[in-house]
């Protein structure tokens, strides 16, 4: 028999799910049965932003100098970069960029403002994130702002910090605080 072997018949390939079909199937399964044990997302760790600074003596000296209107500076290392945190009494700077500054409200109080442009520029640095929340928490007379930090971005309420910059400008008023720049003289 001199029959030549022909080509073998092609096997039919199994049809695979497209990503869209898979997502739709997962949505249906979650709707009907809920997530399985392996699909449960891990709980997000709650980070206490600002806590490393609040009890540190250098940060306490920085806030005292800011309230008194004097100068103070210290350095921190974040992501292998040395950043300086300083104040000259009217503003608080991070790596040479102004983050917070004060404007006189009356003889005894100043308004604390946040510079959104600089804050957004450095929002990937953990040192700045902790600094922002520590400064806000160190002024008990300020109302707690709707400022939060998620996904390496600052959020003001439900929107990102940069969302309202076009309409409202780069300065964000955080509130009024009592300073100690004026020495009260006793009455005679």
């Amino acid at each position: 028999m001199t029959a030549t072997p022909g080509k073998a018949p092609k096997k039919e390939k199994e049809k695979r799910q497209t990503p869209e079909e898979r997502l739709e199937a997962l949505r249906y399964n979650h709707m009907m049965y809920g997530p399985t044990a392996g699909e449960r997302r891990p709980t997000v760790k709650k980070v206490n932003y600002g806590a490393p600074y609040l009890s540190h003596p250098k940060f306490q000296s920085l806030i005292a100098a800011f309230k008194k209107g004097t100068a103070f500076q210290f350095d921190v290392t974040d992501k292998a970069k040395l950043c300086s945190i300083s104040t000259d009494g009217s503003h608080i700077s991070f790596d040479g960029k102004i983050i917070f500054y004060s404007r006189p409200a009356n003889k005894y109080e100043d308004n604390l403002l946040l510079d959104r442009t600089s804050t957004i520029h450095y929002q990937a640095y953990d040192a700045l994130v902790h600094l922002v929340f520590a400064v806000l928490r160190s002024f008990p007379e300020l109302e707690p702002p709707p400022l939060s930090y998620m996904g390496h971005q600052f959020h003001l309420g439900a929107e990102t910090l940069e969302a309202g910059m076009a309409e409202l400008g780069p300065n964000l008023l955080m509130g009024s605080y009592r300073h100690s720049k004026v020495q009260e003289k006793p009455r005679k």
Side-chain angles (χ1 to χ4, degrees):
M1 309 232 140
T2 61
T4 60
K7 289 185 179 177
K10 287 188 177 182
K11 288 185 179 178
E12 275 191 42
K13 291 184 181 178
E14 288 184 27
K15 187 175 180 183
R16 292 188 178 183
Q17 274 185 332
T18 64
E20 294 82 21
E21 291 172 339
R22 176 154 174 72
L23 283 174
E24 186 59 39
L26 279 174
R27 248 184 255 121
Y28 176 79
N29 286 343
H30 282 255
M31 180 189 70
M32 293 299 288
Y33 309 110
T36 62
E39 289 179 334
R40 295 196 187 269
R41 293 185 180 130
T43 57
V44 178
K45 286 184 181 178
K46 192 145 188 153
V47 179
N48 191 2
Y49 291 114
Y53 283 144
L54 285 174
S55 60
H56 200 279
K58 288 183 180 178
F59 177 76
Q60 292 173 351
S61 299
L62 177 87
I63 293 299
F66 183 68
K67 286 182 179 179
K68 289 178 187 172
T70 59
F72 186 77
Q73 176 180 354
F74 67 96
D75 295 327
V76 294
T77 305
D78 189 9
K79 296 184 180 178
K81 182 179 178 185
L82 186 69
C83 301
S84 72
I85 298 173
S86 63
T87 183
D88 70 349
S90 64
H91 62 268
I92 296 176
S93 301
F94 179 81
D95 200 29
K97 301 280 186 179
I98 295 173
I99 303 298
F100 288 102
Y101 58 95
S102 64
R103 293 291 178 257
N106 57 38
K107 185 176 178 181
Y108 301 103
E109 290 184 334
D110 282 353
N111 287 329
L112 183 69
L113 294 115
L114 174 73
D115 187 349
R116 294 186 202 196
T117 310
S118 300
T119 305
I120 291 167
H121 184 279
Y122 287 108
Q123 68 187 353
Y125 288 91
D126 289 339
L128 174 84
V129 174
H130 286 291
L131 174 70
V132 168
F133 285 105
V135 168
L136 294 176
R137 289 172 60 186
S138 65
F139 292 104
E141 56 268 21
L142 293 178
E143 292 181 12
L147 193 67
S148 61
Y149 185 75
M150 294 183 311
H152 301 291
Q153 283 188 329
F154 281 104
H155 293 274
L156 186 61
E159 298 180 348
T160 61
L161 190 59
E162 60 190 325
M165 262 186 11
E167 304 89 43
L168 303 173
N171 305 324
L172 180 64
L173 178 65
M174 303 314 280
S176 296
Y177 68 96
R178 189 166 179 85
H179 61 74
S180 55
K181 295 174 188 171
V182 176
Q183 299 296 327
E184 297 214 19
K185 298 175 185 171
R187 291 187 178 179
K188 292 183 182 180

